[in-house]
Amino acid sequence: MVRMTSPLLHVPPATLRRAAPPLLFIHGAYVGAWCWQSRFLPWFAARGYDCYALDLPGHGSRDRAGLDRFGLDDYVSDIIAAIATLPAPPVLIGHSLGGWLAQEVAERTALPGLALLASVPPYGVAGSLAHMGLASPRLLLGLGRWSHHELDLHGVRELLFSDGAEVAELRRFAELVQAESARALAELMLPRPWRLWRAAPAQRCLVIGCDDDRLISRHDVELTAAHWRVAPHFVSGGHALMADVAWQQTAALIDRWLSS
């Protein structure tokens, strides 16, 4: 059963795993907590985890009219505030922009761990956009269309999914994607090379990338993993790995890491 404790989606476990921390899922740009709802939240809840997914300010159920006034620090502060409402410190599971935000939160507060899924690297998205501009300028233009909510099924597949993705998931994303904060995107594009020079906190971390990701390059995933002093894992499929063909493989990797 999914419960909305705004701005959190909550899926409690049928039987709580002994000593398991809660899981807090952080979505990426252009989407909301709903991106976790059809697969990851019920899958992890069925395995005994107390699951929460956050709508960032201006996303999903929250004040979309004021979206562009929110910056990255607003997002980070909101996640920290959400953590304070949970029964125990959670493991953060962040996708794309949500992965970048999870890393920022880990710099500021103690956590049991964080899992970074197709995450924006610590230094920001400038390198990824340059890679996309060289490899596929048409995809880069597609991101601009997305900011005005003009993507069709083909555009959603090209940007987020692999060719084997289920049509039902493509339709769901196409119907629910939204604009992203122009302020947050501009801040994310500022290069932050010093972030890689500074040592990451002594934190348990899992880093997962996608073989067919057209947004976050393999190189970015490897640099993120090196920053956290772990080996990266790669799964098949596109950027939206919580909903694409390898979603169960991704979930199983996270589950094994949590159990270890």
Side-chain angles (χ1 to χ4, degrees), residues 79-97:
I79 295 168
I80 292 172
I83 288 171
T85 70
L86 300 184
V91 171
L92 292 187
I93 301 176
H95 173 249
S96 196
L97 168 60

Side-chain angles (χ1 to χ4, degrees), residues 132-148:
M132 192 189 308
L134 291 172
S136 183
R138 189 161 56 89
L139 280 180
L140 192 58
L141 291 174
L143 282 178
R145 293 199 306 274
W146 202 343
S147 67
H148 297 92

Side-chain angles (χ1 to χ4, degrees), residues 40-129:
F40 265 40
L41 294 183
W43 193 93
F44 281 97
R47 283 153 182 80
Y49 295 102
D50 194 18
C51 297
Y52 298 83
L54 174 68
D55 270 331
L56 293 171
H59 294 76
S61 61
R62 303 180 66 188
D63 188 20
R64 291 199 194 183
L67 175 66
D68 285 334
R69 75 172 184 265
F70 297 116
L72 297 177
D73 278 343
D74 297 308
Y75 292 169
V76 170
S77 297
D78 202 69
I79 295 168
I80 292 172
I83 288 171
T85 70
L86 300 184
V91 171
L92 292 187
I93 301 176
H95 173 249
S96 196
L97 168 60
W100 189 91
L101 296 170
Q103 294 176 78
E104 284 291 305
V105 172
E107 295 271 359
R108 306 182 193 188
T109 188
L111 297 167
L114 65 159
L116 308 176
L117 314 183
S119 175
V120 172
Y123 50 78
V125 79
S128 299
L129 292 178

Side-chain angles (χ1 to χ4, degrees), residues 6-42:
S6 187
L8 290 169
L9 283 175
H10 181 207
V11 183
T15 303
L16 184 64
R17 279 196 183 189
R18 197 171 186 177
L23 307 181
L24 178 57
F25 294 84
I26 311 297
H27 66 79
Y30 304 106
V31 294
W34 56 264
C35 72
W36 308 102
Q37 192 170 350
S38 66
R39 292 182 170 166
F40 265 40
L41 294 183

Side-chain angles (χ1 to χ4, degrees), residues 102-259:
Q103 294 176 78
E104 284 291 305
V105 172
E107 295 271 359
R108 306 182 193 188
T109 188
L111 297 167
L114 65 159
L116 308 176
L117 314 183
S119 175
V120 172
Y123 50 78
V125 79
S128 299
L129 292 178
H131 168 77
M132 192 189 308
L134 291 172
S136 183
R138 189 161 56 89
L139 280 180
L140 192 58
L141 291 174
L143 282 178
R145 293 199 306 274
W146 202 343
S147 67
H148 297 92
H149 202 167
E150 295 176 2
L151 275 188
D152 55 13
L153 285 183
H154 176 74
V156 168
R157 183 192 296 277
E158 194 171 23
L159 283 166
L160 292 180
F161 289 87
S162 64
D163 291 341
E166 294 182 9
V167 173
E169 280 299 288
L170 292 173
R171 291 191 186 282
R172 192 166 77 96
F173 270 70
E175 289 170 359
L176 293 173
V177 292
Q178 63 168 87
E180 183 52 63
S181 164
R183 176 182 166 191
L185 288 176
E187 291 172 353
L188 197 64
M189 290 177 191
L190 293 173
R192 293 175 171 85
W194 60 88
R195 290 297 307 278
L196 289 178
W197 306 335
R198 189 173 70 209
Q203 179 73 264
R204 292 190 68 226
C205 185
L206 175 69
V207 177
I208 302 177
C210 312
D211 288 334
D212 301 319
D213 197 331
R214 299 181 181 96
L215 297 178
I216 302 296
S217 72
R218 188 180 187 94
H219 180 64
D220 280 340
V221 175
E222 291 168 343
L223 282 177
T224 299
H227 179 66
W228 290 94
R229 301 177 295 278
V230 298
H233 300 265
F234 289 89
V235 299
S236 58
H239 185 68
L241 73 179
M242 82 290 285
D244 202 7
V245 291
W247 76 267
Q248 286 181 297
Q249 180 186 358
T250 305
L253 275 172
I254 298 169
D255 186 34
R256 286 196 296 273
W257 172 75
L258 289 168
S259 299

